Each structure stands twice: as C-alpha cells, then as structure tokens.
Amino acid sequence: MKNVAILLSGRGSNFRALSDAIEQGRIPARIGLVISNRPEAPGLEYARSRGYKSLCIPSAGVDRESFDRLMAREIDAAAIDYICLAGFMRILSSWFVQQYPLRILNIHPSLLPAFAGVHAQRQALLWGAKVTGCTVHFVDEELDHGPIIVQHPVPVLEGDTEESLSDRILVHEHQVYPEALKIVCEDRFRVEGRRLIIKPEEIGVGPTSKSDLVPIAGGSREDDPRT
Ligand code: GRF
C-alpha cells in the first residue's frame, strides 16, 4: 500500500478521479496528504469534505524553492511514497524534483512531447493538429519532460473549440491517471533511459482481479501477453 500526496491549485477533477479509484480499491494506495497553493481551490474543499489530511500553503509572493521546501517538509513528515500533480499550477524547483526522483507524477493535456507548457489544448488547435490527447509522466527537471507512463489519443474535430476539446480530453485524463498510478503503486515498471517499460499484471494475485483490467491505451506493449 503506497502513501500518495496530491498537489493541486484548482478544480481538482483529476484528484477526484484518483480518489475514487483508490477508495474503490482499484489502486493499492491511500491518500496521505493533499496540498493546495491556493486557498480558494475547489479541490482543497473536496479534500476536506472527504476527510483527507489537507493543507493550504499559499505560494503568492514566496520564491520557488522556499515554497517547495515548505511542501517537502510536510510531504516527508507524512512519509509519502508518490506525489501526484493534479492541476498544480506552479513549476517545481530543481531542488524539489531532485528530492523525489521517479516519485512525482504529472498529467498533461496533450500527447507529449507535443504542446508542452500552458494552454496545451489551445496550442493543438492553433497548430492544426488532427490528434492530440493526454499524457501521464514522471516529473524531471525540465517542463513536461520526464519518462511517459501512459498516453491516450483524442481526435481534434472540425469545429472544436478550446473548451470542447478540453472537455473530451478530460474524460480520458480521468481514466489514464488512475491507470498510471496503479502501475506505479503496484511496482510494475522499470525505466531505461527515457523509456518506461510496464510489466504485465499478475492476474488473480493481490487486490486486483481479471475484471479490474484496464487495457493500456495507445497500442501494444512488447512485454504484455495480452497484446
Ligand atoms: C488538467 O487538464 C490537467 O491535464 C492539467 O491541468 C488540468 C487540471 O484540471 N495539468 P483538474 O484541476 O484536475 O480538474
């Protein structure tokens, strides 16, 4: 059972998706801490309503590393295994990222490495992309850059607006983030350079059963007997 922290700044719909999957027993984890850098974040309110240990550490006017050190103190005190960024609108310092190698996950609303940074859906529309999607990846010191855990494609439709495209991507975000966290919490991966290799699920062992299986999005995996 892994101990997970959630960092968020806003609505928190991805946090809810993770929370639901964990509470339903689909991921061998518990949420040990939720941190928001914004007091008004709806995600923080939700965390409190669910009874999670929840903290607001306001970031306004605090330099990046000092803020990150405040967070790290709480994360370490809570003995956290993995940190999930869920709409956390602040770039992490190199210092923070170095404290937690391959232990920070992020979700980004594009198929990285395309359209890194803010307004990824708008970038995809402006570029004229026919396909975009979402990516869950480990965080390294470069923005939206670390090893990819799971991706899912989403077609860009004629007549799409930034809002309609964002809404369609979000549906898949809520599926791939729990899927990625499950892989990580079950220790079913290894990383070779940039490549993250997923080990097959042991069917009938542990908390999962065959009916829990969610196919990994995005095609075949070389070591997956199901493909
Ligand atoms: C999501 O689109 C996520 O991909 C991006 O920020 C947004 C957060 O949404 N990193 P929510 O707060 O999880 O609803």
Side-chain angles (χ1 to χ4, degrees), residues 36-39 56-63 67 88-90:
S36 171
N37 65 322
R38 293 190 182 149
C56 179
I57 306 178
S59 60
V62 185
D63 76 77
F67 174 78
F88 185 65
M89 301 305 289
R90 206 176 150 88

Side-chain angles (χ1 to χ4, degrees), residues 16-216:
R16 283 176 184 239
L18 293 173
S19 158
D20 288 348
I22 288 171
E23 301 299 340
Q24 290 162 12
R26 290 190 277 133
I27 303 173
R30 62 183 288 268
I31 295 179
L33 181 63
V34 179
I35 299 178
S36 171
N37 65 322
R38 293 190 182 149
E40 73 283 5
L44 183 61
E45 189 54 45
Y46 180 73
R48 288 180 178 139
S49 76
R50 296 297 297 260
Y52 295 129
K53 182 180 181 200
S54 314
L55 291 174
C56 179
I57 306 178
S59 60
V62 185
D63 76 77
R64 200 174 300 291
E65 191 173 312
S66 304
F67 174 78
D68 287 355
R69 283 179 183 272
L70 293 174
M71 284 202 304
R73 203 163 65 192
E74 299 295 340
I75 287 166
D76 295 344
I80 294 298
D81 298 301
Y82 289 105
I83 301 163
C84 291
L85 309 184
F88 185 65
M89 301 305 289
R90 206 176 150 88
I91 293 172
L92 296 166
S93 62
S94 294
W95 177 84
F96 186 89
V97 174
Q98 285 165 12
Q99 304 308 302
Y100 308 104
L102 296 180
R103 289 173 57 199
I104 309 172
L105 290 75
N106 183 42
I107 183 147
H108 184 76
S110 76
L111 293 177
L112 291 171
F115 313 127
V118 293
H119 305 307
Q121 304 92 333
R122 189 188 305 172
Q123 291 186 55
L125 280 173
L126 290 173
W127 192 261
K130 301 294 189 198
V131 179
T132 181
C134 47
T135 303
V136 183
H137 64 96
F138 279 119
V139 172
D140 66 11
E141 289 181 56
E142 288 181 53
L143 183 66
D144 299 328
H145 177 270
I148 290 169
I149 307 169
V150 182
Q151 292 186 298
H152 198 286
V154 175
V156 181
L157 306 179
E158 282 181 29
D160 251 339
T161 61
E162 187 178 350
E163 190 183 15
S164 65
L165 181 57
S166 301
D167 287 348
R168 281 207 320 289
I169 294 172
L170 194 63
V171 172
H172 294 285
E173 292 185 36
H174 295 165
Q175 292 166 353
V176 295
Y177 212 170
E179 184 183 342
L181 185 61
K182 177 175 160 72
I183 290 164
V184 167
C185 288
E186 290 177 348
D187 299 319
R188 281 195 295 115
F189 69 98
R190 68 176 197 276
V191 177
E192 293 177 1
R194 282 204 51 84
R195 286 187 71 212
L196 184 138
I197 294 141
I198 298 169
K199 299 176 198 158
E201 194 160 24
E202 287 183 46
I203 297 175
V205 175
T208 56
S209 66
K210 197 167 187 173
S211 61
D212 289 321
L213 280 179
V214 181
I216 302 302

